[in-house]
Amino acid sequence: MINAIEFNLQRGIKLLHNLSESEYTNESIPPYYSSIGCHIRHILDVFSCIINGFEAKKVDLTKRERNQLVEQNIEFGIAYFEEIIFKICSFSEEDLQSEIILIDDLGLGKMEAKTTLAAVLIQAHSHAIHHFASIGYSIFQLGIELPDANFGYNPTTPKNILK
């Protein structure tokens, strides 16, 4: 699991190495007008919440960092990726099976659920792929090449769909 997450997050680093600052911060693509940097920051903030809450066994996804510098500067984005990858790779198999309380606001206030670190990391990984797909749309609109053919595709997507 950790290897799959690391592999996917490395795709993000590869992407950032091939973007200009203006491409990274471009907010001109409708319908949401979100920059690539904004998506990157959001993806990594979810992982950061998991990492920060793990020791207390209480992960609150409403307490995201929202560091504007990550959204506005590629080097900060790359450093954030590297920090998250390093910390995720430090989780042991025993850690992955640990029970935790997950907290999030689903639109009607905060709710809590008992789960495991592994389950939350699986969800964060799927969430990252989903946002990579949104980034892929922006990349296409900006005329930039994807870092690889599977960027933003869930591994369960049938291969005949990928064109």
Side-chain angles (χ1 to χ4, degrees), residues 59-151:
V59 172
D60 187 343
L61 296 177
T62 69
K63 293 185 176 180
R64 295 191 300 274
E65 294 180 33
R66 293 180 171 91
N67 184 339
Q68 296 280 315
L69 292 175
V70 172
E71 293 184 28
Q72 300 165 357
N73 183 291
I74 289 175
E75 292 306 315
F76 281 94
I78 291 169
Y80 200 15
F81 265 116
E82 291 171 344
E83 174 189 351
I84 295 298
I85 290 168
F86 176 79
K87 290 178 178 178
I88 288 172
C89 287
S90 72
F91 286 132
S92 69
E93 286 299 318
E94 184 180 327
D95 291 338
L96 295 176
Q97 301 313 312
S98 296
E99 282 193 357
I100 61 171
I101 299 295
L102 178 65
I103 303 164
D104 203 356
D105 187 334
L106 306 180
L108 300 175
K110 287 186 180 185
M111 298 183 180
E112 295 185 5
K114 192 181 293 185
T115 188
T116 65
L117 175 62
V120 175
L121 285 172
I122 288 169
Q123 182 58 40
H125 177 75
S126 292
H127 175 257
I129 293 170
H130 161 76
H131 276 276
F132 279 176
S134 296
I135 290 169
Y137 176 78
S138 294
I139 288 170
F140 178 79
Q141 296 298 316
L142 294 169
I144 304 165
E145 190 171 322
L146 291 173
D148 65 67
N150 292 319
F151 185 87

Side-chain angles (χ1 to χ4, degrees), residues 33-46:
Y33 303 97
S34 296
S35 69
I36 293 168
C38 181
H39 284 284
I40 295 300
R41 191 261 318 139
H42 177 69
I43 290 165
L44 297 173
D45 276 356
V46 170

